[in-house]
Amino acid sequence: METRLFGPLQRAVPVIGQGTWLLERASRASAIAALRRGLDLGMTHIDTAEYYGEAEDITGEAIAGRRDEVFLVSKVVPGNASRKGTIAACERSLARLRTDHLDCYLLHWRGSHPLEETIAAFEQLKREGKMLSWGVSNFDVSDLEEAWRIAGPGAMACNQVLYHLGERAIEHAVLPWCEAHGVAVVGYSPYGHGEFPGPRTPGGRVLEEIAAAHGATPRQVALRFLVRRAPLFTIPKASRPDHAAENAAAGDLQLTDEEMERIGRAFPPGPPPRSLPML
Ligand code: NAP
């Protein structure tokens, strides 16, 4: 499993990790077996959140006795992200996860509590040893700039954002900003949350052909494309152990530059989001 440094941290993290949203839709036994199979195969970055219902509790059971192997990430919902609320939410997540610390704690998305308060709480939790680092999620460049102004360089570890073959909008501004500022970019919903391109679509055929040339699968080719360069990471969710094994094998797949360009042409990023008024 390929690893790379996670933003400003001196910590090598696997490029392919594991999501946990809706893990409880499968049987608990299958979900736990999938997470453990993923850990066995090097997918030691596990992403969860207080928002995900039972997922933290399932994760806590899956990693019991193996906490030291895991780069454990959870998130506070914006409604809880006040100065005191963030601390309390973190304590509840730690209890559900049956651990005394997180490796990274994220603000799930921007809400109405001032960012200064959330960041002050994150820094307090860091000083108390309850988290190694903190980050953000679903932040655009103006949000990132604001967090950077408040926290200073090297404080924000990652921005977790939507990134799959059909949704490459982050490549226009968010990804370059994070790259320039040494912030890890963790792409979520790498399979489009269940909307993976089928083999009869033009893009799906490209994935099939490239996969066949490597004895790989189209999903592995897609994951490899999504982590083709620093600072990218990805976190597919699998509640079946065979799915976890398939995902983990993408961590060692090597594609040529030509193949990467072909995938990029088959799934173009589209125009930049129009956030500025047209002059
Ligand atoms: P996803 O990973 O794009 O897709 C999950 C779906 O793909 C599940 O139905 C899963 O099936 C299936 N799957 C996984 N591996 C497979 C394989 N090898 N072959 C066939 N099917 C496979 O969707 P996601 O859960 O939305 O995103 C991943 C993670 O990102 C989440 O779980 C969560 O941790 C994070 N996330 C974060 C945010 C945010 O706002 N920060 C938002 C959304 C997601 P099985 O379950 O049956 O294995």
Side-chain angles (χ1 to χ4, degrees), residues 201-213:
T201 61
R205 275 197 291 278
V206 169
L207 297 178
E208 293 268 346
E209 281 171 29
I210 294 172

Side-chain angles (χ1 to χ4, degrees), residues 189-208:
S189 302
Y191 294 145
H193 194 63
E195 295 291 319
F196 193 71
R200 288 199 193 85
T201 61
R205 275 197 291 278
V206 169
L207 297 178
E208 293 268 346

